[in-house]
């Protein structure tokens, strides 16, 4: 025999089911809004990066339905190609695609110096404007942390004056013997000893922290070079003195 449900029980069941339904529908709405918004904003950032007037961007917009296109075009007004948000989004998209340009960057690094100073400067400038997500990569083609060994002593000393000692210790953890020797040689004996002790006490350092520290030191080199305070010297420059 089926038990009869009281009015209060029915009311409680209705309230519970409605609350659960509200949660379910609310969650789905938030997710749909998020996906829709992320889709539109991601599209807008990619369009801005490609250039609103480019054929690629126009083709993409032409293939969208009216409402989506209108939303994308509205969002593009909020961004510039050089914006950190745009570069981050495009970098994530390209990295996620699995594209690997290692060989191309090796070709550039091996040949950029030989191409001539004027050509190298103009080409790098144009590349950085056209493909800003790889600005650090192209800078590494011109100068990398390992190239510290080719800087003259005066340049090294100026870089060290602008460098945090802990940052330097991390950077040297992943450096070659040549780079370490060059750095230590341009410090006082006491300062070099303290730095070596810091490196020893620091223990193992994550590769990403080493890369970050080295990148920061390279930025200092570029800043000082752009200000005219130092001259960047590369292996090719050193070798040319003996030809």
């Amino acid at each position: 025999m089926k038990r009869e449900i009281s009015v209060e029980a029915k009311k409680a069941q209705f309230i519970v089911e409605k609350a659960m339904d509200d949660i379910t529908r609310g969650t789905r709405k938030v997710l749909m809004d998020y996906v829709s918004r992320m889709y539109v904003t991601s599209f807008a950032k990619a369009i801005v990066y490609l250039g609103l007037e480019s054929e690629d961007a126009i083709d993409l917009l032409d293939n969208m339905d009216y409402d989506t296109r209108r939303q994308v075009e509205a969002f593009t007004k909020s961004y510039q190609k050089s914006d950190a948000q745009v570069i981050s989004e495009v970098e994530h998209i390209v990295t996620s695609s699995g594209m690997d340009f290692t060989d191309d960057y090796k070709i550039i690094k091996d040949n950029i110096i030989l191409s001539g100073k004027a050509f190298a400067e103009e080409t790098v400038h144009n590349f950085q404007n056209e493909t800003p997500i790889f600005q650090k990569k192209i800078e590494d083609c011109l100068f990398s942390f390992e190239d510290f060994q080719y800087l003259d002593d005066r340049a090294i000393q100026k870089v060290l004056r602008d460098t945090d000692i802990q940052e330097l210790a991390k950077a040297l953890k992943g450096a070659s013997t040549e780079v370490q020797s060059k750095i230590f040689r341009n410090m006082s004996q006491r300062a070099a000893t303290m730095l070596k002790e810091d490196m020893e006490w620091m223990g193992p350092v994550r590769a990403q922290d080493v890369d970050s520290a080295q990148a920061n030191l390279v930025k200092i080199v570029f800043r000082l070079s752009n200000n005219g305070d130092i001259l960047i010297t590369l292996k090719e420059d050193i070798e040319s003195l003996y030809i």
Side-chain angles (χ1 to χ4, degrees):
M1 182 177 177
K2 189 175 181 181
R3 283 186 63 184
E4 204 168 309
I5 302 175
S6 68
V7 174
E8 288 184 355
K10 288 182 179 180
K11 183 178 178 181
Q13 290 175 2
F14 173 79
I15 292 173
V16 168
E17 288 179 343
K18 185 177 185 310
M20 289 180 173
D21 187 51
D22 287 345
I23 293 172
T24 300
R25 284 189 294 103
T27 301
R28 293 180 65 85
K29 184 179 185 308
V30 168
L31 288 174
M32 291 300 292
D33 289 346
Y34 174 81
V35 171
S36 176
R37 182 179 175 81
M38 288 301 293
Y39 167 78
V40 171
T41 54
S42 293
F43 234 118
K45 291 172 186 175
I47 292 290
V48 168
Y49 189 89
L50 291 170
L52 283 168
E53 306 302 322
S54 69
E55 289 185 13
D56 292 330
I58 292 171
D59 286 343
L60 286 172
L61 289 169
D62 285 343
N63 286 319
M64 295 178 189
D65 62 78
Y66 175 77
D67 288 337
T68 302
R69 176 169 182 163
R70 187 164 53 82
Q71 291 181 64
V72 170
E73 288 177 333
F75 273 111
T76 59
K77 296 176 183 177
S78 304
Y79 303 112
Q80 297 290 329
K81 182 171 183 174
S82 58
D83 288 348
Q85 288 180 321
V86 173
I87 292 175
S88 177
E89 181 75 29
V90 174
E91 188 174 13
H92 171 71
I93 293 170
V94 174
T95 302
S96 298
S97 74
M99 294 286 282
D100 184 1
F101 300 105
T102 302
D103 290 342
D104 296 291
Y105 283 113
K106 185 178 186 310
I107 290 171
I108 293 171
K109 187 173 179 68
D110 290 345
N111 292 275
I112 192 73
I113 300 298
L114 300 176
S115 68
K117 182 178 176 61
F119 173 87
E121 289 180 349
E122 181 181 0
T123 304
V124 168
H125 175 74
N126 292 338
F127 180 84
Q128 289 178 327
N129 284 337
E130 181 66 24
T131 319
I133 62 168
F134 294 123
Q135 182 164 334
K136 182 185 180 302
K137 284 283 191 181
I138 201 67
E139 285 179 349
D140 286 345
C141 289
L142 299 177
F143 185 88
S144 65
F145 187 74
E146 279 302 305
D147 290 322
F148 264 74
Q149 62 187 293
Y150 306 119
L151 292 177
D152 61 39
D153 291 343
R154 175 176 167 275
I156 290 287
Q157 290 160 19
K158 287 205 169 201
V159 171
L160 291 178
R161 281 200 289 270
D162 285 3
T163 303
D164 176 78
I165 192 67
Q166 289 299 309
E167 191 92 325
L168 180 59
K170 288 179 184 177
L172 290 181
K173 290 286 282 189
S176 64
T177 302
E178 290 78 12
V179 172
Q180 290 187 3
S181 298
K182 183 83 172 190
I183 298 293
F184 294 141
R185 204 163 57 237
N186 279 280
M187 303 176 75
S188 68
Q189 185 173 356
R190 180 172 178 274
T193 299
M194 290 177 63
L195 177 58
K196 291 175 183 177
E197 289 175 352
D198 283 345
M199 291 171 62
E200 184 176 347
W201 281 103
M202 193 174 284
V205 179
R206 295 184 306 173
Q208 62 204 63
D209 292 334
V210 171
D211 290 343
S212 176
Q214 291 183 354
N216 286 334
L217 263 74
V218 169
K219 286 179 184 177
I220 293 174
V221 170
F222 279 111
R223 174 169 56 76
L224 293 174
S225 174
N226 290 336
N227 291 340
D229 295 325
I230 67 171
L231 177 67
I232 292 180
T233 311
L234 298 176
K235 181 180 180 181
E236 291 79 3
D237 301 318
I238 299 295
E239 290 176 343
S240 68
L241 296 176
Y242 301 94
I243 294 177

